[in-house]
Amino acid sequence: MGTPVNLDAVLGRLYTALSSADVETWVSLHSDDVVFNVNGSTPVSGRTCGANTILTELLPLLFSRLEPGMAQIGINWKVMCADDRRVTVIFQGRARTLEGKDYNNRYIQILEFDDKQKICEVWEFFDTALAENVLFAPGQTAPDSTAAFEY
């Protein structure tokens, strides 16, 4: 079974927005109460609830450490499996930190969609050792609003 046509179009917009840093489009594809579950023990790991919290607390932790205009996250994406409400996608990201270190990672996301074809929950997996060693500053911690990863 392939990706439902309605979700395939959303995925195209999602990963195009992500790879071009089009935050407005990226946010519009998520429900207001979206939940992100991020694997690992990095400052962005755990469970973060709500589009506004993700936008104001989670994303700044990531993108404030990257050289402006250099990040291309969400490239070379491919659907690995799908049903009518969930899609598993593998993709890559290329970026450079403010210190000039390459941050090139590979990601797997499991996306769940609501009845309005908005992303309502995300489970994300990536090379957390690379993120901890290259992207995040020593001692940097998750926002207080972050809870434990759930599935």
Side-chain angles (χ1 to χ4, degrees), residues 42-46 57 61 140-146:
T42 71
V44 296
S45 296
E57 294 182 18
L61 282 174
Q140 194 173 3
T141 59
D144 291 337
S145 61
T146 306

Side-chain angles (χ1 to χ4, degrees), residues 42-54:
T42 71
V44 296
S45 296
R47 183 176 176 87
T48 305
C49 302
N52 189 54
T53 302
I54 291 161

Side-chain angles (χ1 to χ4, degrees), residues 68-125:
M70 291 295 297
Q72 288 186 296
I73 312 296
I75 56 174
N76 301 325
W77 64 276
K78 180 179 179 180
V79 173
M80 301 304 287
C81 61
D83 64 21
D84 60 331
R85 293 183 66 91
R86 287 168 215 86
V87 178
T88 301
V89 179
I90 188 169
F91 62 95
Q92 295 175 297
R94 281 187 233 136
R96 185 168 296 125
T97 67
L98 296 173
E99 296 79 24
K101 295 180 183 176
D102 288 335
Y103 178 66
N104 302 325
N105 213 332
R106 190 168 296 116
Y107 304 82
I108 295 216
Q109 287 185 330
I110 302 167
L111 307 168
E112 185 171 341
F113 292 83
D114 64 17
D115 293 334
K116 297 176 183 173
Q117 299 174 1
K118 298 262 187 175
I119 300 164
C120 60
E121 192 148 6
V122 176
W123 295 266
E124 183 168 291
F125 302 86

Side-chain angles (χ1 to χ4, degrees), residues 21-32:
D22 179 354
V23 176
E24 185 177 331
T25 298
W26 185 85
V27 168
S28 75
L29 299 169
H30 296 79
S31 67
D32 289 341

